[in-house]
Amino acid sequence: MKNSRESRNTIKAIGMMSGTSVDGLDIAAVEFTEHNNKWTFKLQEAETISYTPEWKKRLETAHTLSGTELTKLNAEYGIFLGEQANKFINKTKFAADLIASHGHTVFHQPENGFTLQIGSGAHLATKSNCLTICDFRTGDVVLGGQGAPLVPIGDSLLFSEYDYCLNLGGFANISYDAKGVRLAFDNCPVNIVLNPLAEEFGLPYDKSGDLGRKGKVDETLLKKLNALSYYHQKPPKSLGREWIEADFLPILNETNLNTQDKMRTIYEHIAVQITKDLSDKGKMLVTGGGAFNSFLIERMQALTTTKIILPEPDLINYKEAIVFAFMGVLRLREQVNCLASVTGARKDSCGGVIFLP
């Protein structure tokens, strides 16, 4: 039996997003309205919960745990998410119809038929006392897809006025329309490799790109990075921590460059990899934490005539959480929220598992 909320034109949803850079939990309260088959949204409230050093370490090392320990972490992280959602709802008085949680990615191996995002939906739903939808990627992987990227459904239905949508988080991913078909893929690593280098200076990240700006591009390292086989594959394709450890870091670690020269070379690498996928026309919406990195934006704009658009800070910070909230809305309405043209799956699908409180 369908819930009466599904037939409403307006749905209130909370999106929760924890990215690969493990800098915190994004929570966005969004009101979505459908009118004449067109969607609009209003971001009502949003905040980022910084992880304690303990939580950061637990999430960063989750892939090393035994099965029992990982199962325990899955439950405890679900409880943590539910508690944060509960505090957020009580503080904002936002009457959410649903919570859509991305969870935290521990394993992503679509080529082996699996992906894992922890943060137990049952615990989250019970703690928050709100219908919860999570595990958005598995269904697509089962259909032969990459399970990523998922945000392009939001790009297509919420941000169609832009020729490109680029997110700069742990990885860069781009989405665009090609002859009526939405395409998207991960371009290259960003904060997942830059943040650990910034930590060598005692900083959590390279604010405004100030550290990298002082370094020099090493052409030998740049050529090796640009030659990585991933960059010469056609989409659909996606990146994960496993690729960083197996392919990217060995090249980075074999050089004896100083850290700032490594960073400067990585910045150039990122700018090259992103701009080579642009057609040098139109405009590109850039969001995610990397959008605040003025040096990276400068390097990208120097290599393309596509106009880079930086929106208001709330959209930069919370676009992915907004889109996951939207994916939850589409799941509740049993509508497509995962695009085969993007992931390479056998067909479009409606992903996400529903948990009742």
Side-chain angles (χ1 to χ4, degrees):
M1 190 174 89
K2 287 195 174 184
N3 189 300
S4 62
R5 286 179 295 209
E6 294 172 272
S7 58
R8 288 205 332 230
N9 284 335
T10 297
I11 298 182
K12 292 184 174 183
I14 289 175
M16 304 182 80
M17 179 75 199
S18 173
T20 45
S21 44
V22 200
D23 45 7
L25 173 69
D26 292 337
I27 310 179
V30 196
E31 185 174 284
F32 296 96
T33 303
E34 184 192 27
H35 182 64
N36 292 335
N37 293 320
K38 288 195 173 178
W39 286 97
T40 55
F41 73 93
K42 286 182 184 172
L43 178 62
Q44 304 282 27
E45 303 278 353
E47 69 173 310
T48 299
I49 311 294
S50 295
Y51 288 127
T52 63
E54 183 195 5
W55 265 118
K56 185 175 168 70
K57 185 178 179 182
R58 292 184 76 187
L59 294 174
E60 283 180 332
T61 58
H63 63 287
T64 67
L65 299 177
S66 69
T68 305
E69 291 169 328
L70 185 56
T71 303
K72 182 172 182 278
L73 179 60
N74 178 46
E76 291 177 348
Y77 187 54
I79 292 168
F80 170 81
L81 292 176
E83 289 172 346
Q84 298 306 319
N86 214 3
K87 287 179 189 172
F88 181 79
I89 290 167
N90 289 336
K91 184 166 69 177
T92 62
K93 309 298 182 198
F94 185 74
D97 293 307
L98 67 94
I99 293 171
S101 173
H102 171 269
H104 186 78
T105 299
V106 179
F107 300 113
H108 182 65
Q109 298 179 28
E111 69 280 7
N112 293 320
F114 67 87
T115 184
L116 176 66
Q117 288 72 43
I118 61 170
S120 165
H123 290 80
L124 203 170
T126 301
K127 274 286 173 186
S128 64
N129 197 35
C130 187
L131 183 151
T132 296
I133 305 173
C134 60
D135 192 14
F136 285 95
R137 299 186 187 274
T138 300
D140 181 79
V141 170
V142 172
L143 288 167
Q146 290 282 310
L150 296 183
V151 169
I153 187 69
D155 295 341
S156 178
L157 298 179
L158 301 177
F159 300 99
S160 60
E161 69 268 32
Y162 298 98
D163 299 284
Y164 303 92
C165 290
L166 177 74
N167 188 74
L168 297 172
F171 296 94
N173 50 68
I174 196 165
S175 159
Y176 55 92
D177 189 84
K179 297 177 181 175
V181 176
R182 178 61 54 166
L183 298 179
F185 51 90
D186 289 339
N187 305 80
C188 58
V190 184
N191 294 332
I192 196 170
V193 291
L194 289 170
N195 288 0
L197 293 172
E199 286 168 8
E200 293 181 23
F201 294 89
L203 299 169
Y205 62 95
D206 185 14
K207 187 177 182 183
S208 303
D210 290 343
L211 291 171
R213 190 189 291 270
K214 293 170 185 167
K216 293 178 182 172
V217 175
D218 182 84
E219 292 297 336
T220 302
L221 176 59
L222 183 62
K223 281 178 184 170
K224 285 182 179 177
L225 293 177
N226 286 338
L228 281 164
S229 62
Y230 175 84
Y231 300 127
H232 305 283
Q233 294 170 22
K234 287 195 158 81
K237 58 182 182 175
S238 63
L239 290 169
R241 174 188 47 75
E242 293 90 339
W243 179 84
I244 295 291
E245 292 174 356
D247 292 48
F248 195 95
L249 289 182
I251 293 173
L252 195 62
N253 293 337
E254 73 183 11
T255 175
N256 55 11
L257 295 173
N258 67 55
T259 303
Q260 284 180 297
D261 287 351
K262 284 182 184 177
M263 294 180 84
R264 176 65 185 89
T265 306
I266 290 169
Y267 276 119
E268 200 64 21
H269 170 67
I270 294 167
V272 167
Q273 291 306 323
I274 290 171
T275 57
K276 76 179 175 60
D277 295 317
L278 305 179
S279 63
D280 275 341
K281 63 181 180 182
K283 55 186 181 176
M284 177 168 70
L285 178 70
V286 180
T287 56
F292 294 110
N293 190 315
S294 51
F295 181 60
L296 177 55
I297 299 300
E298 281 172 29
R299 290 311 308 144
M300 285 164 43
Q301 191 64 86
L303 299 180
T304 183
T305 54
T306 298
K307 188 176 182 185
I308 292 175
I309 307 291
L310 299 176
E312 65 275 11
D314 273 355
L315 189 53
I316 288 177
N317 283 324
Y318 299 109
K319 176 172 174 270
E320 285 204 313
I322 290 167
V323 173
F324 269 91
F326 183 55
M327 289 185 68
V329 170
L330 295 176
R331 172 65 185 90
L332 196 63
R333 291 163 60 105
E334 298 178 8
Q335 294 176 333
V336 167
N337 64 4
C338 195
L339 300 171
S341 63
V342 166
T343 68
R346 291 190 291 277
K347 62 178 182 177
D348 290 346
S349 61
C350 180
V353 180
I354 296 175
F355 292 89
L356 301 175

